[in-house]
Amino acid sequence: AGWMPSAARRKMPIQALDQPYHDASAPRTCAGPRTVWWRAATFLPAIAATAALIVAFTDWFVMDGFSAFEGVVITLIAFTFFWIALSVSTSFLGVATLCLSRPRAAHDGPVPPMNVALLVPVYNEDTADVFGNAAAMLSTLDEQDFVHSFDLFILSDTRDAAIAAKEERAFIALRTQLSFGSQVYYRRRADNVDRKVGNLADWVENWGGAYEAMLVLDADSLMAGEAIVGLADALAYDPAAGLIQSFPTLFGAQSVFGRVQQFSNRVYGAALAEGLAKWTDREGNYWGHNAIIRSAAFAACAGLPKVSNHKGNGRLILSHDFIEAGLLRRAGWSVRFLPRIGGSYEEVPATLIDYVLRDRRWCQGNLQHLRLIGSRGFNAVSRFHLISGAMGYLMSPAWFALLLVWTLIGNGQETN
């Protein structure tokens, strides 16, 4: 108990997905007037290219009679090509923005000070990495000039007693041997109810009342002091923002597989991120970490319900970050993406096995979102984020089906 501050409680009611909701304290902002043009510049080229491809293939197939197999091929081509074309047009918008836009001051006038909590949820993680990253963040934060107050919380859900003992020793060492301007706290839950969702909800309900904002990190996250202060300043200066997401850069790769991912992120990621930020405007998405959140807005609007499975049992919403962004936007808060705030990092899976294990979890969650697209009150762009996340995993079977049907047509096995 001595390792945590005094309790400062906030109520975090569970939200109903079958009823609309508006937070009375939310300003209910909407996208800027120019955003419709940026969305047209992104979606219309992708739609036009897909339509042109459909026309070309239809003209080709009808020359010898149109079969059901050929109709399936055209449908699959349209389905798969559109998402590729959309990524390309988003990247082109990002390149144009990076090349043509001029740097502007992030804000004018003094920044209102805030109490900000840096939250690091952990679960059986490598203790040296977690506390080493924490020490590095606090060290670089002390080098910055800022008006805010920052405290760091290690929120442990570790089940392994040996790892938990290491965490306690590392915490004591961090707290006593290093002198930072920020306070450092540690809490280990007796029971990890609802996993990471429950871990963060427990902090919000018991200590979140003392902090205007919380910057949520992952166990493998690392943020420079400049990035932490930049996100805090952006949230403080924008009272309509409920969440501001940074663009994490991959780092720490040691294997060839990891280096390839890291290279791809550095080369292609900036343009895609800039384009996405441009057309989503204030209706962005949340990726679960390296983002700053207004604590009162999150507590009032983002309490996650359980959803029933095919057996009728309640289960957690997986990939919950997408839904939390949708709930904040539904309540009237804006969700922004600021990829130009540099110094936000996350580690890359070292091997293909590690990547597949992580992707399997994401696949389960993103496909589960297909059942939640019809939730009452969700913004249209929030629904698109849910669809887009699911498409990332439905594309592979769609490509496989396209190759299979195309092979049958190529061997002359189609039926008229």
Side-chain angles (χ1 to χ4, degrees):
W3 292 346
M4 291 294 285
S6 300
R9 304 188 186 280
R10 282 189 189 275
K11 293 183 179 180
M12 191 171 180
I14 300 300
Q15 299 297 308
L17 298 180
D18 59 348
Q19 299 176 8
Y21 175 77
H22 172 62
D23 185 357
S25 61
R28 191 175 280 277
T29 57
C30 58
R34 295 184 180 180
T35 305
V36 64
W37 297 108
W38 302 130
R39 291 176 180 174
T42 303
F43 281 82
L44 289 181
I47 294 172
T50 304
L53 193 66
I54 292 173
V55 170
F57 271 94
T58 302
D59 289 343
W60 179 30
F61 283 140
V62 297
M63 290 188 297
D64 298 322
F66 198 77
S67 69
F69 268 107
E70 289 165 344
V72 172
V73 167
I74 292 175
T75 302
L76 290 172
I77 287 174
F79 179 80
T80 54
F81 182 81
F82 172 75
W83 295 100
I84 296 174
L86 183 62
S87 296
V88 172
S89 59
T90 299
S91 297
F92 269 112
L93 177 63
V95 170
T97 302
L98 290 169
C99 292
L100 300 178
S101 64
R102 298 178 180 178
R104 295 183 302 173
H107 46 76
D108 298 320
V111 178
M114 297 191 306
N115 290 334
V116 182
L118 311 179
L119 307 183
V120 185
V122 297
Y123 178 82
N124 292 340
E125 310 290 346
D126 184 282
T127 305
D129 286 348
V130 170
F131 286 87
N133 287 350
M137 286 188 288
L138 293 177
S139 179
T140 61
L141 187 58
D142 273 359
E143 298 172 358
Q144 305 297 315
D145 294 325
F146 51 83
V147 299
H148 311 290
S149 173
F150 294 97
D151 292 335
L152 186 140
F153 290 80
I154 306 293
L155 305 178
S156 176
D157 260 353
T158 294
R159 300 297 92 199
D160 187 295
I163 297 177
K166 291 181 181 179
E167 289 176 356
E168 293 178 6
R169 291 196 297 269
F171 164 71
I172 294 172
L174 179 65
R175 195 173 190 181
T176 59
Q177 296 178 11
L178 301 176
S179 57
F180 299 118
S182 306
Q183 292 295 323
V184 184
Y185 301 102
Y186 173 85
R187 186 270 285 131
R188 180 178 174 230
R189 287 202 297 170
D191 189 7
N192 63 332
V193 177
D194 291 345
R195 303 179 186 177
K196 183 179 178 180
V197 172
N199 197 357
L200 293 176
D202 176 79
W203 181 87
V204 170
E205 292 174 337
N206 290 288
W207 296 279
Y211 298 89
E212 287 92 344
M214 54 184 188
L215 200 159
V216 180
L217 300 139
D218 257 0
D220 61 353
S221 293
L222 183 65
M223 294 192 75
E226 182 181 2
I228 295 172
V229 174
L231 284 175
D233 286 350
L235 188 74
Y237 192 73
D238 185 0
L243 184 150
I244 299 178
Q245 173 73 62
S246 69
F247 176 54
T249 302
L250 300 181
F251 84 112
Q254 300 295 325
S255 63
V256 174
F257 178 78
R259 288 284 184 177
V260 170
Q261 294 181 77
Q262 190 169 290
F263 175 80
S264 175
N265 173 263
R266 295 293 180 92
V267 173
Y268 307 117
L272 188 62
E274 191 68 30
L276 186 64
K278 195 72 174 178
W279 73 257
T280 57
D281 193 28
R282 291 183 169 272
E283 299 171 338
N285 203 7
Y286 175 38
W287 300 323
H289 56 86
N290 294 35
I292 192 166
I293 306 172
R294 196 174 302 278
S295 301
F298 189 82
C301 313
L304 289 175
K306 288 185 169 63
V307 295
S308 59
N309 58 16
H310 64 281
K311 296 181 180 179
N313 301 322
R315 60 175 299 181
L316 285 173
I317 294 177
L318 305 176
S319 296
H320 51 88
D321 38 13
F322 283 47
I323 305 300
E324 288 162 346
L327 291 172
L328 284 168
R329 192 70 196 96
R330 178 180 79 162
W333 296 98
S334 65
V335 177
R336 299 174 60 195
F337 178 31
L338 300 182
R340 296 199 187 187
I341 292 181
S344 177
Y345 306 97
E346 67 170 323
E347 290 185 4
V348 58
T351 66
L352 179 60
I353 298 299
D354 294 332
Y355 185 89
V356 169
L357 290 175
R358 186 190 70 174
D359 234 37
R360 182 178 65 179
R361 297 195 304 270
W362 290 0
C363 178
Q364 291 174 334
N366 288 13
L367 293 183
Q368 183 193 56
H369 293 168
L370 293 175
R371 299 174 52 197
L372 305 177
I373 292 173
S375 299
R376 293 286 301 279
F378 269 20
N379 180 273
V381 179
S382 297
R383 299 184 201 276
F384 180 82
H385 289 314
L386 299 182
I387 295 171
S388 180
M391 289 304 107
Y393 297 96
L394 293 177
M395 287 282 284
S396 293
W399 276 111
F400 178 76
L402 175 60
L403 292 174
L404 182 62
V405 177
W406 192 275
T407 301
L408 294 175
I409 291 178
N411 288 333
Q413 297 182 20
E414 73 275 13
T415 58
N416 293 318

